[in-house]
Amino acid sequence: MGSVESYESKSGRRYRVRYRRPDNKQTDKRGFRTKREAENFLASVETSKLRGEWVDPSRSRVRFSEIAEAWYASKIRVKPTTRSGYRNSLDKHVLPEWGDVRIVDIDHSHVQSWVARLSTTLSASSTRQIYLVVSGSLAYAVRDGRLARNVAADIELPRLSKAERHYLSHTQVHELADGVGEWGTLVRFLAYSGLRWGEAAALRPADVDLANRVVHVRRAVADVRGSLVFGTPKTHEQRIVPYPSLLDEGIAAHLATGRRHDLLFSTGEGAVLRGGNFRRRVFAPAVAKLQLASPDGFPHITPHDLRHTAASLAISAGANVKILQRMLGHASAAMTLDVYADLFPEDLTSVSIALDRAARDSFVGKPWAKADDDGSSTPSEVTPIAAEPVDPERTRAPRSA
């Protein structure tokens, strides 16, 4: 056990707590104004030692910026785009607010009020991403033995709202493909394969199997602060994705050209197609023209909406969730269902119709179905069962003991 001692200072009597750390080395903490404060601190130290939660106070006095940079340096398994997002959040929002604060001085209420403040000017998604940087840094400090707990845990975050998606029909896909001219095959390919832009831009001729009409998605390219970075697909999983025969001629033409540049889809000079440039120079103008020309209104879409279109068209063609998951490269079928739940209501209706038909045709259904004059079966009326009288004594609440 430790001890509490008084001593005289220029400000008057103060109290010092002497105690032993878990490694049995003696240390002390001084400056307590009252003996009660000192005794409470000593009690908390002994309790934390028994629970294995004791943290050396000297290690908790580091600035948040030091811990945040150490956490950032440890993120070696994330995608380059994710890492770039962390850096942007740190530099623009996190470090200006918390950089010079000692981690021991950060508390839950301060983090909560800061998150609430961010949510008034930023989207829910951006607020959550910035918060994750703070929470991740403090969790790193806990693992490093600098904090007993993560005070940024259990913060109330703004609710995410799903953005409205736009899906193209088969006719609209071909109208858009015709509108982009020489890039028509790329638009059709994205709309029928569901590849992400970075995956399609990184395809090589060697990734195409013309005989089986499939592409092998082995890598992706990302534009990280102006630099092109090649890596694995988003979920780190390679996959095989089919494409329809209507793309045979277009894919073969790009394949012949791509062999000179080692990219299936590339600029005229053989460079990687950048999504931002393509959207601004080719895609958006084509969509704008179709919106003006279409009496029914052409949806306002982005290149990424072609991926959503692929999911919609695949579901309409009868693809099940597991097949769609593999096609889109999602981590799980649950994720696919969560992302595209709005595309399945019609399936629920078809399921109920199929169940009804199966029940009527089954042996179990025959006793309660009677034949009509035309030979079809319809449910017969069911005689309701008389309700049993209720005994008031059985429904009375029991008396407390």
Coordinates of all heavy atoms in Angstrom, one line a residue, residues 315-368:
I315 N -30.3 -8.2 -61.2 CA -31.4 -8.7 -60.4 C -32.7 -8.9 -61.3 O -33.4 -9.9 -61.1 CB -31.7 -7.7 -59.3 CG1 -30.6 -7.7 -58.3 CG2 -33.0 -8.0 -58.6 CD1 -30.6 -6.6 -57.2
S316 N -32.9 -8.0 -62.2 CA -34.1 -8.1 -63.1 C -33.9 -9.4 -64.0 O -34.9 -10.0 -64.3 CB -34.2 -6.9 -64.0 OG -34.4 -5.7 -63.3
A317 N -32.7 -9.8 -64.3 CA -32.5 -11.0 -65.1 C -32.5 -12.2 -64.3 O -32.4 -13.3 -64.8 CB -31.1 -10.9 -65.8
G318 N -32.7 -12.1 -62.9 CA -32.9 -13.3 -62.1 C -31.7 -13.7 -61.3 O -31.6 -14.8 -60.7
A319 N -30.6 -12.8 -61.2 CA -29.4 -13.2 -60.4 C -29.8 -13.1 -58.9 O -30.5 -12.2 -58.5 CB -28.3 -12.2 -60.7
N320 N -29.3 -14.2 -58.2 CA -29.6 -14.2 -56.8 C -28.5 -13.3 -56.0 O -27.5 -12.9 -56.6 CB -29.6 -15.6 -56.2 CG -28.3 -16.4 -56.4 OD1 -27.2 -15.8 -56.2 ND2 -28.4 -17.6 -56.9
V321 N -28.7 -13.2 -54.7 CA -27.8 -12.3 -54.0 C -26.4 -12.8 -54.0 O -25.5 -12.0 -54.1 CB -28.4 -12.1 -52.5 CG1 -27.4 -11.3 -51.7 CG2 -29.7 -11.5 -52.5
K322 N -26.2 -14.1 -53.8 CA -24.8 -14.6 -53.8 C -24.1 -14.4 -55.1 O -22.9 -14.0 -55.1 CB -24.9 -16.1 -53.4 CG -23.5 -16.7 -53.0 CD -23.1 -16.0 -51.7 CE -21.7 -16.6 -51.2 NZ -21.3 -15.9 -50.0
I323 N -24.7 -14.6 -56.2 CA -24.1 -14.3 -57.5 C -23.8 -12.8 -57.6 O -22.7 -12.4 -58.1 CB -25.0 -14.8 -58.6 CG1 -25.2 -16.3 -58.6 CG2 -24.5 -14.3 -60.0 CD1 -23.9 -17.1 -58.8
L324 N -24.7 -12.0 -57.2 CA -24.5 -10.5 -57.3 C -23.4 -10.1 -56.4 O -22.6 -9.2 -56.8 CB -25.8 -9.8 -56.9 CG -25.9 -8.3 -57.2 CD1 -25.8 -8.0 -58.7 CD2 -27.1 -7.7 -56.6
Q325 N -23.2 -10.7 -55.3 CA -22.1 -10.4 -54.4 C -20.8 -10.7 -55.1 O -19.8 -9.9 -55.0 CB -22.2 -11.2 -53.1 CG -21.0 -11.0 -52.2 CD -20.6 -12.3 -51.4 OE1 -21.5 -13.2 -51.3 NE2 -19.4 -12.4 -51.0
R326 N -20.7 -11.8 -55.7 CA -19.4 -12.2 -56.3 C -19.1 -11.3 -57.5 O -18.0 -11.0 -57.8 CB -19.5 -13.7 -56.8 CG -19.5 -14.7 -55.6 CD -19.8 -16.1 -56.0 NE -18.8 -16.5 -57.0 CZ -19.0 -17.7 -57.7 NH1 -20.0 -18.5 -57.5 NH2 -18.0 -18.1 -58.5
M327 N -20.2 -11.0 -58.3 CA -20.0 -10.1 -59.4 C -19.5 -8.7 -59.1 O -18.6 -8.2 -59.7 CB -21.4 -10.0 -60.1 CG -21.5 -9.0 -61.3 SD -23.1 -9.0 -62.0 CE -23.1 -7.5 -62.9
L328 N -20.1 -8.2 -58.0 CA -19.7 -6.8 -57.6 C -18.5 -6.8 -56.7 O -18.0 -5.7 -56.5 CB -20.9 -6.2 -56.9 CG -22.2 -6.0 -57.7 CD1 -23.3 -5.5 -56.8 CD2 -21.9 -5.1 -58.9
G329 N -18.1 -7.9 -56.2 CA -16.9 -7.9 -55.3 C -17.1 -7.4 -53.9 O -16.3 -6.8 -53.3
H330 N -18.4 -7.6 -53.4 CA -18.7 -7.2 -52.0 C -18.1 -8.2 -51.0 O -17.9 -9.4 -51.4 CB -20.2 -7.1 -51.8 CG -20.8 -5.9 -52.4 ND1 -22.1 -5.8 -52.7 CD2 -20.2 -4.7 -52.9 CE1 -22.4 -4.6 -53.2 NE2 -21.3 -4.0 -53.3
A331 N -17.8 -7.7 -49.8 CA -17.2 -8.6 -48.8 C -18.1 -9.7 -48.4 O -17.7 -10.8 -48.0 CB -16.8 -7.8 -47.6
S332 N -19.5 -9.5 -48.4 CA -20.4 -10.5 -48.0 C -21.7 -10.2 -48.7 O -22.0 -9.1 -49.2 CB -20.6 -10.4 -46.5 OG -21.3 -9.2 -46.1
A333 N -22.6 -11.3 -48.7 CA -23.9 -11.2 -49.3 C -24.8 -10.2 -48.5 O -25.7 -9.5 -49.0 CB -24.6 -12.5 -49.4
A334 N -24.5 -10.1 -47.2 CA -25.2 -9.2 -46.3 C -25.0 -7.8 -46.7 O -25.9 -6.9 -46.7 CB -24.8 -9.4 -44.8
M335 N -23.8 -7.5 -47.1 CA -23.5 -6.1 -47.6 C -24.2 -5.8 -48.9 O -24.8 -4.7 -49.1 CB -22.0 -6.0 -47.8 CG -21.6 -4.6 -48.4 SD -19.8 -4.5 -48.7 CE -19.7 -2.9 -49.4
T336 N -24.3 -6.8 -49.8 CA -25.0 -6.6 -51.0 C -26.5 -6.4 -50.8 O -27.1 -5.5 -51.4 CB -24.9 -7.9 -51.9 OG1 -23.5 -8.2 -52.1 CG2 -25.6 -7.7 -53.3
L337 N -27.1 -7.1 -49.9 CA -28.5 -6.9 -49.5 C -28.7 -5.5 -48.9 O -29.7 -4.8 -49.2 CB -29.0 -8.0 -48.5 CG -29.4 -9.3 -49.1 CD1 -29.6 -10.3 -48.0 CD2 -30.6 -9.1 -50.0
D338 N -27.8 -5.1 -48.1 CA -27.9 -3.8 -47.4 C -27.8 -2.7 -48.4 O -28.6 -1.7 -48.4 CB -26.8 -3.6 -46.3 CG -26.9 -2.3 -45.6 OD1 -28.0 -2.1 -45.0 OD2 -26.0 -1.6 -45.5
V339 N -26.9 -2.8 -49.4 CA -26.7 -1.7 -50.4 C -27.8 -1.7 -51.4 O -28.3 -0.6 -51.7 CB -25.3 -1.9 -51.1 CG1 -25.2 -1.0 -52.3 CG2 -24.2 -1.8 -50.2
Y340 N -28.3 -2.8 -51.8 CA -29.4 -2.8 -52.8 C -30.7 -3.4 -52.3 O -31.4 -4.0 -53.1 CB -28.9 -3.7 -54.0 CG -27.6 -3.1 -54.7 CD1 -26.4 -3.6 -54.6 CD2 -27.8 -1.9 -55.4 CE1 -25.3 -3.1 -55.1 CE2 -26.6 -1.3 -55.9 CZ -25.4 -1.9 -55.8 OH -24.3 -1.3 -56.4
A341 N -31.0 -3.1 -51.1 CA -32.3 -3.6 -50.6 C -33.5 -3.0 -51.3 O -34.5 -3.7 -51.4 CB -32.4 -3.2 -49.1
D342 N -33.3 -1.8 -51.9 CA -34.5 -1.2 -52.6 C -34.8 -1.9 -54.0 O -35.8 -1.6 -54.6 CB -34.1 0.3 -52.9 CG -32.9 0.5 -53.7 OD1 -31.9 -0.3 -53.4 OD2 -32.8 1.3 -54.6
L343 N -33.9 -2.8 -54.4 CA -34.1 -3.5 -55.7 C -34.9 -4.8 -55.5 O -35.2 -5.5 -56.5 CB -32.8 -3.8 -56.4 CG -32.0 -2.5 -56.8 CD1 -30.7 -3.0 -57.4 CD2 -32.8 -1.7 -57.8
F344 N -35.2 -5.2 -54.3 CA -35.7 -6.5 -54.0 C -37.2 -6.6 -53.7 O -37.7 -7.6 -53.4 CB -34.9 -7.3 -52.9 CG -33.6 -7.7 -53.4 CD1 -32.5 -7.0 -53.2 CD2 -33.5 -8.9 -54.1 CE1 -31.2 -7.4 -53.7 CE2 -32.2 -9.4 -54.5 CZ -31.1 -8.6 -54.3
P345 N -38.0 -5.5 -53.5 CA -39.4 -5.6 -53.1 C -40.2 -6.5 -54.0 O -41.1 -7.2 -53.6 CB -39.9 -4.1 -53.2 CG -38.7 -3.3 -53.0 CD -37.6 -4.1 -53.6
E346 N -40.0 -6.4 -55.4 CA -40.7 -7.2 -56.3 C -40.5 -8.7 -56.1 O -41.3 -9.5 -56.2 CB -40.3 -6.8 -57.8 CG -40.7 -5.4 -58.2 CD -39.8 -4.4 -57.7 OE1 -38.8 -4.7 -57.1 OE2 -40.0 -3.2 -58.0
D347 N -39.2 -9.0 -55.7 CA -38.9 -10.4 -55.4 C -39.7 -10.9 -54.2 O -40.1 -12.1 -54.2 CB -37.4 -10.5 -55.1 CG -36.6 -10.5 -56.3 OD1 -37.2 -10.4 -57.4 OD2 -35.3 -10.6 -56.2
L348 N -40.0 -10.0 -53.2 CA -40.8 -10.5 -52.1 C -42.2 -10.8 -52.5 O -42.8 -11.8 -52.0 CB -40.8 -9.3 -51.0 CG -39.5 -9.0 -50.4 CD1 -39.7 -7.8 -49.4 CD2 -38.9 -10.2 -49.7
T349 N -42.8 -10.0 -53.4 CA -44.1 -10.3 -53.9 C -44.1 -11.7 -54.7 O -45.0 -12.5 -54.5 CB -44.6 -9.2 -54.9 OG1 -44.5 -8.0 -54.1 CG2 -46.0 -9.5 -55.4
S350 N -43.1 -11.9 -55.5 CA -43.0 -13.1 -56.3 C -42.8 -14.3 -55.3 O -43.4 -15.4 -55.6 CB -41.9 -13.1 -57.3 OG -40.6 -13.0 -56.6
V351 N -42.1 -14.1 -54.2 CA -42.0 -15.2 -53.3 C -43.3 -15.6 -52.7 O -43.7 -16.8 -52.5 CB -41.0 -14.9 -52.2 CG1 -41.0 -15.8 -51.0 CG2 -39.6 -14.8 -52.8
S352 N -44.1 -14.6 -52.3 CA -45.4 -14.9 -51.7 C -46.3 -15.6 -52.7 O -47.1 -16.5 -52.3 CB -46.0 -13.6 -51.2 OG -46.4 -12.7 -52.2
I353 N -46.3 -15.2 -53.9 CA -47.1 -15.8 -55.0 C -46.7 -17.3 -55.1 O -47.5 -18.2 -55.2 CB -47.0 -15.1 -56.3 CG1 -47.6 -13.7 -56.2 CG2 -47.7 -15.8 -57.4 CD1 -47.4 -12.8 -57.4
A354 N -45.4 -17.5 -55.2 CA -44.9 -18.9 -55.3 C -45.2 -19.8 -54.1 O -45.6 -20.9 -54.3 CB -43.3 -18.9 -55.5
L355 N -45.1 -19.2 -52.9 CA -45.5 -19.9 -51.7 C -47.0 -20.3 -51.8 O -47.4 -21.4 -51.4 CB -45.2 -19.1 -50.5 CG -43.7 -19.0 -50.1 CD1 -43.6 -18.1 -48.9 CD2 -43.2 -20.4 -49.7
D356 N -47.8 -19.4 -52.2 CA -49.3 -19.6 -52.3 C -49.6 -20.7 -53.3 O -50.4 -21.6 -53.0 CB -50.0 -18.3 -52.7 CG -51.5 -18.5 -52.7 OD1 -52.1 -18.5 -51.6 OD2 -52.1 -18.5 -53.8
R357 N -48.9 -20.7 -54.4 CA -49.1 -21.7 -55.5 C -48.7 -23.1 -55.0 O -49.4 -24.1 -55.2 CB -48.4 -21.3 -56.7 CG -48.6 -22.3 -57.9 CD -47.8 -21.9 -59.1 NE -48.1 -20.5 -59.6 CZ -47.3 -19.5 -59.5 NH1 -46.1 -19.7 -59.0 NH2 -47.7 -18.3 -60.0
A358 N -47.5 -23.1 -54.3 CA -47.0 -24.4 -53.8 C -47.9 -24.9 -52.7 O -48.2 -26.2 -52.6 CB -45.6 -24.2 -53.2
A359 N -48.5 -24.1 -51.9 CA -49.4 -24.5 -50.8 C -50.7 -25.1 -51.4 O -51.2 -26.1 -50.9 CB -49.7 -23.4 -49.8
R360 N -51.2 -24.5 -52.4 CA -52.4 -24.9 -53.0 C -52.3 -26.3 -53.7 O -53.2 -27.1 -53.8 CB -53.0 -23.9 -54.0 CG -53.5 -22.6 -53.3 CD -53.9 -21.6 -54.4 NE -54.3 -20.3 -53.8 CZ -55.4 -20.1 -53.1 NH1 -56.3 -21.1 -52.9 NH2 -55.6 -18.9 -52.6
D361 N -51.0 -26.5 -54.3 CA -50.8 -27.7 -55.0 C -50.3 -28.8 -54.1 O -50.2 -30.0 -54.6 CB -49.7 -27.5 -56.1 CG -50.2 -26.5 -57.2 OD1 -51.4 -26.3 -57.3 OD2 -49.4 -25.9 -57.9
S362 N -50.0 -28.5 -52.9 CA -49.5 -29.6 -52.0 C -50.6 -30.4 -51.4 O -51.8 -30.0 -51.4 CB -48.7 -28.9 -50.9 OG -49.5 -28.2 -50.0
F363 N -50.3 -31.5 -50.8 CA -51.2 -32.4 -50.2 C -51.8 -31.7 -48.9 O -53.0 -31.9 -48.6 CB -50.5 -33.7 -49.7 CG -51.4 -34.6 -49.0 CD1 -52.3 -35.4 -49.6 CD2 -51.3 -34.7 -47.6 CE1 -53.2 -36.3 -48.9 CE2 -52.2 -35.6 -46.9 CZ -53.1 -36.4 -47.5
V364 N -51.0 -30.9 -48.2 CA -51.5 -30.3 -47.0 C -52.6 -29.3 -47.3 O -53.5 -29.1 -46.5 CB -50.3 -29.5 -46.3 CG1 -50.8 -28.8 -45.1 CG2 -49.3 -30.6 -45.9
G365 N -52.6 -28.7 -48.5 CA -53.5 -27.7 -48.8 C -54.9 -28.2 -49.2 O -55.9 -27.4 -49.2
K366 N -55.0 -29.5 -49.6 CA -56.2 -30.0 -50.1 C -57.4 -30.0 -49.2 O -58.5 -29.7 -49.6 CB -56.0 -31.4 -50.7 CG -55.1 -31.4 -51.9 CD -54.9 -32.8 -52.5 CE -54.0 -32.7 -53.7 NZ -53.7 -34.1 -54.3
P367 N -57.2 -30.3 -47.9 CA -58.4 -30.3 -47.0 C -59.1 -29.0 -46.8 O -60.3 -28.9 -46.6 CB -57.8 -30.8 -45.7 CG -56.6 -31.5 -46.0 CD -56.0 -30.8 -47.2
W368 N -58.4 -27.9 -47.0 CA -59.0 -26.6 -46.8 C -59.4 -25.9 -48.1 O -59.8 -24.7 -48.1 CB -58.2 -25.6 -45.9 CG -56.8 -25.4 -46.4 CD1 -55.7 -26.1 -46.0 CD2 -56.4 -24.4 -47.3 NE1 -54.6 -25.6 -46.6 CE2 -55.0 -24.5 -47.4 CE3 -57.0 -23.4 -48.0 CZ2 -54.2 -23.7 -48.2 CZ3 -56.2 -22.5 -48.8 CH2 -54.9 -22.7 -48.9

